[in-house]
mmCIF file of all heavy atoms in Angstrom:
data_model
loop_
_atom_site.group_PDB
_atom_site.id
_atom_site.type_symbol
_atom_site.label_atom_id
_atom_site.label_comp_id
_atom_site.label_asym_id
_atom_site.label_seq_id
_atom_site.Cartn_x
_atom_site.Cartn_y
_atom_site.Cartn_z
ATOM 1 N N SER A 5 120.258 87.009 107.473
ATOM 2 C CA SER A 5 120.240 86.386 106.154
ATOM 3 C C SER A 5 121.488 86.660 105.383
ATOM 4 O O SER A 5 121.760 85.957 104.397
ATOM 5 C CB SER A 5 118.973 86.849 105.402
ATOM 6 O OG SER A 5 119.020 88.241 105.154
ATOM 7 N N ASN A 6 122.256 87.628 105.659
ATOM 8 C CA ASN A 6 123.483 87.967 104.941
ATOM 9 C C ASN A 6 124.743 87.794 105.682
ATOM 10 O O ASN A 6 125.727 88.384 105.404
ATOM 11 C CB ASN A 6 123.366 89.450 104.380
ATOM 12 C CG ASN A 6 123.250 90.418 105.515
ATOM 13 O OD1 ASN A 6 122.996 90.069 106.647
ATOM 14 N ND2 ASN A 6 123.552 91.642 105.211
ATOM 15 N N LEU A 7 124.665 86.897 106.728
ATOM 16 C CA LEU A 7 125.880 86.599 107.516
ATOM 17 C C LEU A 7 126.430 85.280 107.342
ATOM 18 O O LEU A 7 125.710 84.269 107.135
ATOM 19 C CB LEU A 7 125.512 86.839 108.994
ATOM 20 C CG LEU A 7 125.029 88.262 109.466
ATOM 21 C CD1 LEU A 7 124.670 88.201 110.850
ATOM 22 C CD2 LEU A 7 126.057 89.227 109.187
ATOM 23 N N LEU A 8 127.750 85.204 107.391
ATOM 24 C CA LEU A 8 128.428 83.876 107.328
ATOM 25 C C LEU A 8 129.351 83.828 108.584
ATOM 26 O O LEU A 8 130.005 84.882 108.945
ATOM 27 C CB LEU A 8 129.263 83.709 106.125
ATOM 28 C CG LEU A 8 128.535 83.638 104.796
ATOM 29 C CD1 LEU A 8 129.504 83.672 103.592
ATOM 30 C CD2 LEU A 8 127.686 82.407 104.673
ATOM 31 N N PHE A 9 129.434 82.711 109.214
ATOM 32 C CA PHE A 9 130.399 82.541 110.406
ATOM 33 C C PHE A 9 131.407 81.456 110.087
ATOM 34 O O PHE A 9 131.067 80.526 109.360
ATOM 35 C CB PHE A 9 129.536 82.150 111.577
ATOM 36 C CG PHE A 9 128.672 83.211 112.120
ATOM 37 C CD1 PHE A 9 127.339 83.256 111.737
ATOM 38 C CD2 PHE A 9 129.165 84.228 112.932
ATOM 39 C CE1 PHE A 9 126.504 84.303 112.187
ATOM 40 C CE2 PHE A 9 128.392 85.225 113.394
ATOM 41 C CZ PHE A 9 127.016 85.305 113.024
ATOM 42 N N SER A 10 132.497 81.618 110.595
ATOM 43 C CA SER A 10 133.573 80.696 110.473
ATOM 44 C C SER A 10 133.249 79.377 111.202
ATOM 45 O O SER A 10 132.563 79.376 112.165
ATOM 46 C CB SER A 10 134.894 81.304 111.044
ATOM 47 O OG SER A 10 135.855 80.328 111.159
ATOM 48 N N ASP A 11 133.846 78.306 110.715
ATOM 49 C CA ASP A 11 133.692 76.990 111.356
ATOM 50 C C ASP A 11 134.575 76.895 112.634
ATOM 51 O O ASP A 11 134.402 76.040 113.485
ATOM 52 C CB ASP A 11 134.047 75.835 110.465
ATOM 53 C CG ASP A 11 132.990 75.647 109.409
ATOM 54 O OD1 ASP A 11 131.833 76.011 109.584
ATOM 55 O OD2 ASP A 11 133.333 75.029 108.334
ATOM 56 N N ASP A 12 135.530 77.797 112.663
ATOM 57 C CA ASP A 12 136.413 77.882 113.905
ATOM 58 C C ASP A 12 135.559 78.429 115.125
ATOM 59 O O ASP A 12 134.459 78.828 114.966
ATOM 60 C CB ASP A 12 137.604 78.900 113.702
ATOM 61 C CG ASP A 12 138.463 78.386 112.591
ATOM 62 O OD1 ASP A 12 138.556 77.183 112.321
ATOM 63 O OD2 ASP A 12 139.108 79.301 111.922
ATOM 64 N N SER A 13 136.113 78.230 116.287
ATOM 65 C CA SER A 13 135.347 78.623 117.494
ATOM 66 C C SER A 13 135.015 80.139 117.387
ATOM 67 O O SER A 13 135.761 80.921 116.820
ATOM 68 C CB SER A 13 136.171 78.361 118.763
ATOM 69 O OG SER A 13 137.326 79.144 118.767
ATOM 70 N N PHE A 14 133.891 80.508 117.994
ATOM 71 C CA PHE A 14 133.435 81.880 117.976
ATOM 72 C C PHE A 14 132.964 82.247 119.356
ATOM 73 O O PHE A 14 131.974 81.759 119.840
ATOM 74 C CB PHE A 14 132.243 81.960 116.960
ATOM 75 C CG PHE A 14 131.858 83.384 116.595
ATOM 76 C CD1 PHE A 14 132.490 84.010 115.594
ATOM 77 C CD2 PHE A 14 130.802 83.983 117.172
ATOM 78 C CE1 PHE A 14 132.233 85.325 115.213
ATOM 79 C CE2 PHE A 14 130.440 85.304 116.852
ATOM 80 C CZ PHE A 14 131.163 85.925 115.827
ATOM 81 N N ASN A 15 133.800 83.103 119.996
ATOM 82 C CA ASN A 15 133.602 83.424 121.375
ATOM 83 C C ASN A 15 133.043 84.779 121.631
ATOM 84 O O ASN A 15 133.045 85.301 122.752
ATOM 85 C CB ASN A 15 134.846 83.226 122.211
ATOM 86 C CG ASN A 15 135.340 81.800 122.155
ATOM 87 O OD1 ASN A 15 134.551 80.885 122.216
ATOM 88 N ND2 ASN A 15 136.648 81.550 122.114
ATOM 89 N N THR A 16 132.551 85.398 120.645
ATOM 90 C CA THR A 16 131.943 86.761 120.716
ATOM 91 C C THR A 16 130.454 86.746 120.817
ATOM 92 O O THR A 16 129.823 85.954 120.118
ATOM 93 C CB THR A 16 132.390 87.588 119.498
ATOM 94 O OG1 THR A 16 133.733 87.550 119.401
ATOM 95 C CG2 THR A 16 131.855 88.992 119.581
ATOM 96 N N PRO A 17 129.878 87.435 121.804
ATOM 97 C CA PRO A 17 128.362 87.471 121.884
ATOM 98 C C PRO A 17 127.716 87.996 120.600
ATOM 99 O O PRO A 17 128.314 88.937 120.003
ATOM 100 C CB PRO A 17 128.098 88.364 123.054
ATOM 101 C CG PRO A 17 129.372 88.661 123.662
ATOM 102 C CD PRO A 17 130.519 88.292 122.780
ATOM 103 N N ILE A 18 126.561 87.522 120.254
ATOM 104 C CA ILE A 18 125.870 87.993 119.102
ATOM 105 C C ILE A 18 124.448 88.479 119.633
ATOM 106 O O ILE A 18 123.815 87.794 120.389
ATOM 107 C CB ILE A 18 125.635 86.885 118.089
ATOM 108 C CG1 ILE A 18 126.956 86.355 117.506
ATOM 109 C CG2 ILE A 18 124.785 87.357 116.958
ATOM 110 C CD1 ILE A 18 126.896 85.122 116.705
ATOM 111 N N ILE A 19 124.121 89.705 119.251
ATOM 112 C CA ILE A 19 122.811 90.254 119.730
ATOM 113 C C ILE A 19 121.880 90.271 118.465
ATOM 114 O O ILE A 19 122.179 90.943 117.467
ATOM 115 C CB ILE A 19 123.014 91.676 120.243
ATOM 116 C CG1 ILE A 19 123.968 91.621 121.371
ATOM 117 C CG2 ILE A 19 121.687 92.325 120.615
ATOM 118 C CD1 ILE A 19 124.316 92.953 121.941
ATOM 119 N N LYS A 20 120.832 89.534 118.565
ATOM 120 C CA LYS A 20 119.820 89.492 117.482
ATOM 121 C C LYS A 20 118.816 90.573 117.734
ATOM 122 O O LYS A 20 118.190 90.647 118.822
ATOM 123 C CB LYS A 20 119.188 88.108 117.443
ATOM 124 C CG LYS A 20 118.375 87.862 116.170
ATOM 125 C CD LYS A 20 118.293 86.391 115.915
ATOM 126 C CE LYS A 20 117.379 85.927 114.837
ATOM 127 N NZ LYS A 20 117.173 86.820 113.738
ATOM 128 N N THR A 21 118.579 91.466 116.808
ATOM 129 C CA THR A 21 117.763 92.652 116.997
ATOM 130 C C THR A 21 116.428 92.609 116.355
ATOM 131 O O THR A 21 115.677 93.593 116.403
ATOM 132 C CB THR A 21 118.490 93.907 116.499
ATOM 133 O OG1 THR A 21 118.730 93.807 115.075
ATOM 134 C CG2 THR A 21 119.848 94.134 117.187
ATOM 135 N N ASP A 22 116.028 91.544 115.798
ATOM 136 C CA ASP A 22 114.812 91.451 114.995
ATOM 137 C C ASP A 22 113.529 91.711 115.863
ATOM 138 O O ASP A 22 112.438 91.985 115.317
ATOM 139 C CB ASP A 22 114.660 90.178 114.133
ATOM 140 C CG ASP A 22 114.632 88.963 114.941
ATOM 141 O OD1 ASP A 22 115.102 88.937 116.110
ATOM 142 O OD2 ASP A 22 114.171 87.927 114.427
ATOM 143 N N ASP A 23 113.607 91.570 117.128
ATOM 144 C CA ASP A 23 112.437 91.810 118.065
ATOM 145 C C ASP A 23 112.443 93.304 118.562
ATOM 146 O O ASP A 23 111.526 93.637 119.287
ATOM 147 C CB ASP A 23 112.443 90.857 119.232
ATOM 148 C CG ASP A 23 112.019 89.483 118.830
ATOM 149 O OD1 ASP A 23 111.305 89.312 117.806
ATOM 150 O OD2 ASP A 23 112.441 88.542 119.525
ATOM 151 N N ILE A 24 113.370 94.092 118.218
ATOM 152 C CA ILE A 24 113.437 95.509 118.606
ATOM 153 C C ILE A 24 112.712 96.274 117.532
ATOM 154 O O ILE A 24 113.279 96.782 116.625
ATOM 155 C CB ILE A 24 114.907 95.951 118.851
ATOM 156 C CG1 ILE A 24 115.570 95.051 119.819
ATOM 157 C CG2 ILE A 24 114.848 97.414 119.297
ATOM 158 C CD1 ILE A 24 117.011 95.369 119.957
#
Side-chain angles (χ1 to χ4, degrees):
S5 61
N6 60 343
L7 298 177
L8 295 173
F9 292 95
S10 170
D11 288 337
D12 298 333
S13 65
F14 195 81
N15 296 325
T16 303
I18 299 171
I19 300 171
K20 192 156 172 28
T21 61
D22 63 338
D23 286 334
I24 304 173

